[in-house]
């Protein structure tokens, strides 16, 4: 659309391309500035599709554009004019627009009026189907089709508020001049999902959009237009139509995270990178609608300056721009970051904010400082692993970090390493601890120099102050120390066999407390064999028994005894010393044969076996040994012979070819090789038995039984006696059990059994005056006191068994003649509901005899008229208990 050119002061030409459907006016200005000195400037006119470059003739002035209707239009510094709302053709003429250009240097200004009009002499855009031209050089030959046209895409802005349907384009075919055609479109948005967005008038071919479009949902549509005749025959080849959805700034930037966390070490230099924040915009990133710009809106706290950080407006990278980050003063900064589209235009762009939390991390820029120059402590001597003093420091760095944790080092005053200063992990205090015993007699005080440092080195440029060094004064407390034996243990060598009351040695202790006047007394603490005695004042040790090297208390020729030395301090202290006596061997033990028992067959093959000797002494008081048979009994020399094989071994052989089974004791005289040799007659038990062809004894059990010793026989007798006692106890228990069982049985006297005897009821008594009965007992059965208690286990069979008594009703103490029936009924209910009650508590009815009884009425027992009519012979079949009754009624008259 060509807008009218309006000349004014200077030469100003405005070419404006108006797109009503897109609500966008793009103004290209070609401007010639006329200064007060009448300097002429050249004007360069550019095509409508490009932005005009302004030539200022070298004056360097900036021109600012303004429009007279900022509510409907806005103009950028580059001359681009935007429509802020949609316009229709009817309202377009009523909108005046004045453009003002102002030179900011000399405040000169130019203005022009822009008149907006719709296109003149042009109708709606039409798209024609490409005509089919053929080459007429040869008739009847194949037709050559011309290449199809390339249809430019149709641009439709999103979120249009205009009236719908909104016409886009008209599709025409040159064949509609001579016949009627029908037009249609296919593709997504027409007859494919999403359907109903685009429609075409079948006769006129006008393509319209039915609803607002959303570029973020679908950015373009590919449709295909068809032209057919009334019979449905295709007239034209389908053409492709591309509809592009033009982006509008309808989406705000959205940060990926609403809260961004970052860290930076304190003391960082300006330009140190912190972190990057990112925001996305759903609008087209190729247009200004999707081009974002970042900026920091606020900083909290504003210390030491309000601009400690800056942000790259395009990438979102945050860096420091000022020095002075100190965690001890400001541990954390909170930044409000704003992202704005339209390349950050604050007037027309949409924006959003997020929070950036920047924590200042600690570095070791504060050394630990002692709270005092000198610390004091005291410790008793000879104590270890005790805390003498607590060293306290202050450190401004972050607690419980390597820059805060303190390490204490002793740099002077402890050449022998008797102290250490570990760190309390909770309080960060230094614990001066004694690790080696301290002797008061050597040093009474210690003065230590302690330096406090952190686990990590101080930051560059930070030095340790004087307050990082302190002095620790420690006083040693004198205590009563235990006497010490020297040497301990003490070793002496003696020959065994030393007689009692022999002097051995003097074993004394020294008191380390040189500044205390004390006496020491000695006692025996451990003497396993009770061989020694010590003088309590002098420590002189003598024997009270013979020292024997072969004693079981002697291990490897060494005997040990422990003595106690106690001083006279308050409280007294004591120390122990060990005396080790190495006993030298003498020939005081005679040898004996080994083994002491052996076996052989009646006809041995071979007929000999080897023996040796054992001696408790050591060489040379032991072997070699001399072996010989005793002269008595006489059959020993006659049946046996002994031959020495070596210094320690001999062979005992049988002279005869057969020896009867049994146990034989052979006396053998063995002599050792001591300086004063010792001899001993030792008995060898030989078990002779019958053997099989393998040489194994077959009557081993007989031989063993024949050779039972006294101890074995006593053990067997004890076992037999114990077994008999157990049998006797079992028999007594069984008899006692039978007696208890019999005692529990029912003791029934046949003469007293009411079920087997007839009771006499013929005593009528003396009338009412003789009936002195206590009827109150019937009215209150619960008040009856038993006359006697029956022994345990003696009860009648018709009595109620012993069971836990149920909770039966209790009658009132006041007697009443009529409550006996209620009491009986209540007792019956309680008995019926009692699961443990036997059937004896059932209600028995005695006032009704029933009908059809063979016995008839009880009155017939005393009736002479009817007694003969009854047959009582069946009573003989009821057993001995009814025999007396059968004799009375079933017998003859006699």
């Amino acid at each position: 659309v060509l807008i009218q050119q309006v000349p004014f002061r200077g030469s100003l030409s405005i070419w404006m391309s108006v797109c009503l459907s897109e609500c966008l006016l793009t103004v290209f200005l070609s401007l010639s500035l006329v200064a007060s000195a009448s300097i002429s400037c050249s004007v360069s006119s550019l095509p409508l599709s490009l932005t005009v470059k302004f030539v200022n003739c070298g004056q360097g002035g900036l021109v600012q554009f303004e429009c007279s209707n900022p509510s409907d239009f806005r103009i950028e510094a580059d001359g681009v004019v935007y429509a802020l709302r949609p316009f229709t053709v009817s309202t377009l003429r009523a909108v005046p627009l004045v453009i003002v250009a102002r030179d900011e240097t000399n405040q000169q200004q130019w203005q022009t009026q822009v008149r907006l009009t719709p296109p003149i002499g042009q109708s709606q855009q039409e798209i024609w189907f490409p005509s089919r031209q053929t080459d007429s050089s040869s008739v009847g030959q194949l037709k050559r089709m011309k290449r199809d046209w390339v249809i430019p895409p149709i641009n439709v802005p999103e979120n249009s508020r205009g009236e719908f349907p909104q016409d886009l384009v008209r599709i025409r075919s040159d064949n509609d001049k001579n016949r009627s055609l029908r037009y249609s479109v296919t593709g997504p948005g027409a007859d494919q999902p999403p359907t109903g967005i685009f429609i075409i008038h079948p006769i006129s071919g006008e393509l319209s959009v039915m609803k607002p479009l959303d570029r973020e949902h679908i950015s373009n549509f590919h449709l295909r237009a068809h032209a057919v005749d009334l019979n449905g025959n295709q007239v034209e080849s389908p053409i492709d139509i591309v509809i592009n959805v033009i982006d509008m700034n309808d989406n705000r930037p959205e940060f990926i995270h609403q809260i961004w966390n970052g860290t930076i070490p304190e003391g960082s230099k300006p330009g140190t990178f912190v972190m990057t924040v990112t925001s996305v915009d759903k609008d087209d990133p190729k247009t200004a609608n999707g081009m974002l710009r970042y900026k920091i809106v606020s900083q909290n706290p504003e210390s030491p300056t309000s601009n400690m950080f800056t942000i790259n407006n395009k990438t979102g990278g945050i860096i420091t721009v000022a020095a002075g980050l100190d965690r001890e003063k400001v541990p954390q900064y909170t930044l409000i970051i704003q992202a704005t589209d339209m390349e950050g235009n604050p007037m027309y762009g949409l924006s959003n904010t997020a929070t950036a939390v920047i924590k200042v991390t600690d570095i070791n820029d504060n050394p630990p400082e002692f709270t005092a120059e000198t610390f004091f402590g005291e410790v008793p001597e000879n104590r270890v692993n005790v805390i003498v003093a607590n060293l306290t420091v202050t450190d401004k760095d972050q607690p419980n970090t390597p820059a805060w944790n303190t390490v204490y080092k002793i740099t002077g005053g402890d050449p022998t390493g008797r102290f250490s200063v570990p760190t309390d992990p909770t309080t960060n205090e230094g614990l001066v601890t004694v690790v080696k015993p301290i002797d008061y007699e050597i040093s009474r005080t210690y003065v230590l120099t302690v330096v406090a440092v952190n686990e990590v080195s101080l930051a560059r440029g930070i030095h340790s102050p004087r307050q990082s060094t302190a002095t620790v004064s420690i006083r040693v407390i004198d205590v009563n120390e235990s006497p010490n034996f020297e040497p301990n243990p003490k070793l002496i060598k003696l020959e065994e066999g030393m007689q009692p009351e022999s002097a051995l040695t003097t074993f004394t202790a020294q008191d380390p407390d040189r500044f205390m006047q004390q006496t020491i007394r000695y006692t025996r603490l451990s003497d396993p064999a009770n061989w020694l005695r010590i003088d309590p004042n002098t420590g002189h040790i003598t024997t009270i028994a013979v020292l024997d090297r072969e004693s079981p208390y002697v291990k490897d020729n060494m005997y040990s005894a422990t003595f106690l030395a106690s001083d006279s301090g308050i409280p007294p202290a004591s120390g122990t010393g060990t005396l080790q006596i190495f006993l030298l061997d003498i020939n005081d033990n005679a040898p004996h044969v080994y083994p002491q028992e052996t076996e052989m067959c009646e006809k041995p093959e071979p007929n000999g076996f080897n023996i040796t000797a054992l001696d408790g002494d050591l060489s040379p008081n032991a072997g070699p040994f001399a072996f010989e048979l005793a002269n008595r009994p006489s059959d020993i020399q006659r049946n046996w012979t002994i031959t020495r094989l070596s210094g320690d071994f001999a062979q005992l052989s049988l002279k005869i070819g057969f020896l009867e089974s049994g146990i034989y004791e052979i006396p053998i005289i063995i002599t050792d090789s001591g300086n004063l040799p010792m001899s001993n007659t030792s008995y060898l038990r030989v078990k002779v038995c019958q053997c099989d062809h393998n040489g194994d004894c077959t009557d081993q059990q007989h031989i063993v039984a024949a050779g039972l010793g006294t101890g074995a026989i006593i053990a067997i007798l004890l076992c037999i006696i114990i077994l008999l006692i157990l049998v006797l106890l079992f028999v007594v228990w069984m008899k006692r059990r039978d007696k208890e069982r019999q005692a529990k049985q029912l003791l029934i006297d046949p003469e007293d059994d009411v079920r087997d005897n007839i009771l006499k009821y013929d005593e009528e008594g003396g009338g009412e005056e003789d009936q002195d009965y206590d009827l109150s007992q019937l009215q209150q059965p619960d008040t009856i006191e038993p006359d006697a208690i029956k022994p345990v286990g003696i009860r009648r069979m018709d009595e109620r068994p012993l069971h836990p008594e149920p909770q039966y009703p209790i009658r009132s103490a006041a007697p009443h003649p009529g409550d006996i029936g209620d009491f009986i009924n209540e007792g019956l209910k309680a008995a019926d509901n009692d699961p443990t009650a036997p059937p004896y508590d059932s209600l028995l009815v005695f006032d009704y005899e029933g009908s059809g009884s063979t016995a008839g009425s009880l009155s017939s027992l005393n009736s002479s008229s009817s007694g003969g009519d009854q047959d009582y012979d069946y009573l003989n079949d009821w057993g001995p208990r009814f025999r007396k009754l059968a004799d009375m009624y079933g017998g003859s008259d006699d």
Side-chain angles (χ1 to χ4, degrees):
V1 179
L2 179 61
I3 307 301
Q4 181 180 0
Q5 301 182 16
V6 182
F8 60 101
R9 293 176 54 195
S11 176
L12 176 62
S13 299
I14 301 178
W15 298 83
M16 181 174 295
S17 175
V18 182
C19 181
L20 299 179
S21 62
E22 298 181 14
C23 303
L24 179 62
L25 299 178
T26 304
V27 178
F28 298 90
L29 301 179
S30 178
L31 180 62
S32 174
L33 299 178
V34 180
S36 58
S38 301
I39 301 175
S40 61
C41 301
S42 62
V43 179
S44 60
S45 177
L46 300 180
L48 297 179
S49 59
L50 298 178
T51 303
V52 174
K53 295 182 179 180
F54 297 94
V55 181
N56 56 10
C57 300
Q59 296 184 4
L62 298 178
V63 177
Q64 182 179 1
F65 299 101
E66 297 177 358
C67 63
S68 61
N69 193 359
S71 61
D72 296 331
F73 302 94
R74 65 180 173 87
I75 183 170
E76 297 291 341
D78 55 359
V80 179
V81 178
Y82 294 89
L84 301 182
R85 63 183 181 85
F87 294 91
T88 61
V89 176
S90 59
T91 61
L92 186 60
R93 300 178 184 272
V95 179
L97 181 59
V98 177
I99 302 298
V100 177
R102 179 181 292 105
D103 187 353
E104 295 182 353
T105 303
N106 50 23
Q107 299 300 320
Q108 284 186 309
Q109 66 179 14
W110 299 265
Q111 68 178 10
T112 183
Q113 183 177 2
V114 179
R115 184 163 56 101
L116 305 179
T117 58
I120 301 175
Q122 295 184 7
S123 60
Q124 186 178 11
Q125 181 181 1
E126 295 182 350
I127 298 178
W128 292 83
F129 282 92
S131 60
R132 300 186 179 184
Q133 298 180 3
T134 59
D135 190 357
S136 59
S137 58
S138 58
V139 180
Q141 296 181 359
L142 294 175
K143 297 181 179 179
R144 185 176 62 183
M145 302 295 295
K146 296 185 66 175
R147 185 174 300 175
D148 291 344
W149 296 345
V150 178
I151 307 300
I154 302 173
N155 296 329
V156 180
E158 65 173 336
N159 303 325
S160 176
R161 299 181 182 178
E163 300 177 356
F164 295 100
Q166 181 179 355
D167 297 337
L168 299 180
V169 71
R170 182 180 181 185
I171 301 175
R172 297 289 303 276
S173 173
D174 54 1
N175 293 324
D176 62 353
K177 297 178 181 179
N178 49 13
R179 51 180 170 173
S180 297
L181 301 180
R182 294 296 182 266
Y183 300 97
S184 63
V185 290
T186 59
D191 61 342
Q192 299 177 15
T195 60
I197 297 179
F198 300 98
I199 63 172
I200 189 172
H201 195 279
I203 299 176
S204 63
E206 292 181 353
L207 180 62
S208 304
V209 61
M210 301 300 297
K211 61 179 67 174
L213 303 180
D214 187 0
R215 189 202 66 85
E216 287 72 34
H217 181 57
I218 301 177
S219 60
N220 54 67
F221 296 87
H222 294 267
L223 304 178
R224 174 164 287 194
H226 306 270
V228 298
D229 57 12
L230 296 180
N231 295 326
N233 297 323
Q234 181 174 326
V235 178
E236 301 286 355
S237 298
I239 60 174
D240 294 327
I241 300 176
V242 177
I243 301 176
N244 293 328
V245 182
I246 303 302
D247 183 44
M248 300 295 292
N249 191 18
D250 58 343
N251 291 280
R252 291 181 178 273
E254 295 291 340
F255 283 92
I256 296 178
H257 305 290
Q258 193 59 32
I259 298 178
W260 297 79
N261 295 300
T263 59
I264 184 171
E266 62 177 332
S268 298
K269 296 180 180 180
T272 303
F273 175 78
V274 181
M275 63 178 174
T276 300
V277 297
T278 305
S279 178
V280 295
D281 196 319
K282 296 180 181 180
D283 292 326
D284 190 358
K286 298 179 181 180
T287 64
N289 299 331
M291 296 181 181
L292 306 181
R293 296 296 183 266
Y294 301 92
K295 72 174 182 179
I296 298 176
V297 178
S298 65
Q299 169 190 311
N300 185 32
E302 298 180 352
S303 174
T305 63
S306 59
N307 296 320
M308 293 295 296
F309 304 92
T310 185
I311 187 171
N312 189 310
N313 62 348
K314 293 184 179 180
T315 63
I318 301 176
I319 61 174
T320 60
V321 293
L325 291 174
D326 191 351
R327 189 203 64 84
E328 288 72 32
K329 295 181 179 178
V330 180
Q332 178 176 295
Y333 289 91
T334 302
L335 306 180
I336 303 300
I337 309 299
Q338 184 184 63
T340 308
D341 56 15
M342 299 300 295
E343 298 182 301
N345 191 301
M347 184 177 296
Y348 310 107
L350 302 178
S351 61
N352 210 338
T353 60
T355 302
V357 179
I358 302 175
K359 293 183 179 180
V360 182
T361 58
D362 187 36
I363 64 172
N364 194 13
D365 58 343
N366 293 281
E369 298 180 359
F370 284 100
T371 58
E373 294 183 358
T374 304
F375 296 88
F376 299 92
E378 59 183 19
V379 60
E381 62 175 334
N382 301 321
R383 296 284 300 275
V384 295
N385 297 327
V386 293
I387 298 175
V388 179
N390 290 20
L391 309 182
T392 56
V393 296
T394 58
D395 196 320
K396 297 179 182 179
D397 292 323
Q398 185 175 357
N400 301 317
T401 61
W404 178 81
N405 297 334
T406 305
V407 178
Y408 300 88
K409 299 180 181 179
I410 300 176
T411 59
D414 186 22
T416 58
R418 298 183 181 275
F419 299 90
S420 68
V421 188
T423 304
D424 189 330
T426 303
T427 62
N428 206 29
E429 295 180 352
L431 308 178
V432 181
T433 307
V434 180
V435 295
K436 292 182 181 180
I438 300 175
D439 192 354
Y440 174 82
E441 286 71 26
I442 296 177
S443 178
R444 301 183 182 183
T445 59
Y446 288 88
V447 178
L448 309 180
T449 301
V450 181
V451 176
V453 296
N454 293 123
E455 292 182 354
V456 296
S457 301
L458 291 173
R460 182 178 300 178
I462 306 297
H463 302 283
S464 298
R466 181 179 59 83
Q467 291 80 3
S468 296
T469 303
T471 301
V472 182
S473 180
I474 301 173
R475 184 175 68 89
V476 182
I477 302 175
D478 189 17
V479 296
N480 186 20
E481 300 178 74
S482 302
N484 298 325
F485 284 91
E486 290 294 340
N488 191 12
K490 184 175 182 179
L491 176 64
I492 61 174
K493 292 184 179 181
L494 300 172
E495 284 189 353
E496 64 173 330
M498 184 172 290
Q499 297 302 315
E501 302 300 330
S502 299
L504 296 184
T505 185
T506 300
F507 197 22
T508 60
Q510 303 296 327
D511 192 349
D513 296 319
R514 294 178 298 174
F515 303 99
M516 298 181 183
Q517 301 298 327
Q518 299 181 141
T519 59
I520 299 177
R521 294 186 61 84
Y522 303 95
T523 56
R524 187 180 59 178
L525 184 62
S526 173
D527 185 10
N530 197 23
W531 287 347
L532 306 176
R533 179 177 59 235
I534 188 170
D535 188 276
N537 297 320
T538 63
H540 185 67
I541 299 176
T542 57
T543 63
I544 59 177
V546 177
L547 305 184
D548 186 8
R549 191 196 65 83
E550 289 76 27
S551 172
Y553 301 103
V554 178
K555 305 297 181 183
D556 298 330
N557 303 326
M558 191 74 69
Y559 179 77
S560 298
T562 305
F563 299 93
L564 182 68
S566 303
D567 60 19
S568 57
I570 299 175
S574 60
T576 59
T578 302
L579 177 65
Q580 295 180 339
I581 304 175
F582 188 86
L583 296 176
L584 302 177
D585 185 40
I586 63 174
N587 193 11
D588 59 347
N589 291 278
H592 59 273
V593 67
Y594 181 82
Q596 295 181 356
E597 294 184 1
T598 185
E599 295 179 356
M600 65 180 302
C601 298
E602 292 178 341
K603 297 179 179 181
E605 292 182 3
N607 61 350
F609 47 87
N610 297 335
I611 60 174
T612 185
L614 296 179
D615 195 327
D617 297 325
L618 299 177
S619 180
N621 297 321
F625 302 99
F627 301 89
E628 61 178 335
L629 295 175
N631 295 327
R632 294 181 180 275
S634 59
D635 57 346
I636 297 299
Q637 296 283 352
R638 183 174 62 252
N639 296 336
W640 302 92
T641 180
I642 190 170
T643 303
R644 182 178 178 182
L645 300 179
S646 63
D648 296 334
F649 293 92
Q651 186 180 58
L652 183 63
S653 303
L654 188 61
K655 290 182 179 181
I656 58 180
F658 176 81
L659 187 63
E660 185 179 358
S661 299
I663 298 177
Y664 300 88
E665 292 188 355
I666 302 173
I668 301 175
I669 301 174
I670 305 175
T671 305
D672 60 20
S673 300
N675 189 15
L676 295 176
M678 295 190 67
S679 298
N680 180 34
T681 300
S682 182
Y683 288 88
L684 175 65
R685 291 171 55 89
V686 179
K687 298 178 182 180
V688 181
C689 59
Q690 298 178 0
C691 300
D692 54 13
H693 63 281
N694 294 325
D696 298 328
C697 289
T698 57
D699 55 349
Q700 182 69 23
Q701 297 179 355
H702 176 70
I703 297 299
V704 172
L708 288 177
T710 304
I713 294 175
I714 293 175
I716 293 175
L717 292 177
L718 289 176
C719 293
I720 294 174
I721 292 173
I722 293 174
L723 182 61
L724 292 176
I725 292 174
L726 292 176
V727 173
L728 181 61
L729 292 176
F730 179 74
V731 171
V732 172
W733 178 75
M734 290 295 296
K735 289 184 178 181
R736 184 176 179 181
R737 183 180 178 185
D738 292 340
K739 289 182 180 180
E740 292 178 355
R741 186 181 302 172
Q742 293 175 2
K744 292 180 180 180
Q745 292 180 354
L746 178 64
L747 301 178
I748 302 176
D749 187 3
E751 298 295 333
D752 296 335
D753 191 359
V754 296
R755 296 175 297 178
D756 295 342
N757 298 277
I758 297 177
L759 302 180
K760 296 180 180 181
Y761 297 99
D762 56 348
E763 295 182 0
E764 298 179 356
E768 294 180 358
E769 61 271 16
D770 293 335
Q771 296 179 359
D772 188 12
Y773 301 119
D774 186 9
L775 297 181
S776 64
Q777 300 298 329
L778 295 177
Q779 298 174 356
Q780 293 180 327
D782 53 319
T783 61
I784 298 177
E785 297 181 358
D787 295 335
I789 300 177
K790 295 183 179 181
V792 177
I794 304 177
R795 298 181 62 87
R796 292 180 59 87
M797 293 186 64
D798 55 350
E799 288 182 348
R800 180 179 179 181
L802 294 177
H803 288 286
E805 291 294 332
Q807 299 298 325
Y808 290 99
I810 300 176
R811 300 184 62 227
S812 61
H816 190 273
D819 63 351
I820 185 65
D822 297 334
F823 176 78
I824 293 176
N825 291 329
E826 292 175 2
L828 176 60
K829 293 180 181 180
D832 291 340
N833 295 328
D834 185 11
T836 62
Y840 303 105
D841 288 337
S842 302
L843 182 62
L844 304 180
V845 181
F846 296 99
D847 58 347
Y848 177 70
E849 297 180 356
S851 61
S853 175
T854 57
S857 175
L858 290 177
S859 62
S860 61
L861 293 177
N862 294 326
S863 177
S864 60
S865 60
S866 60
D869 299 336
Q870 186 70 29
D871 185 9
Y872 296 101
D873 292 338
Y874 62 91
L875 295 176
N876 293 321
D877 300 333
W878 287 11
R881 293 175 180 254
F882 293 90
R883 185 172 300 162
K884 187 174 182 180
L885 186 62
D887 294 340
M888 294 176 61
Y889 290 92
S892 60
D893 294 338
D894 296 336

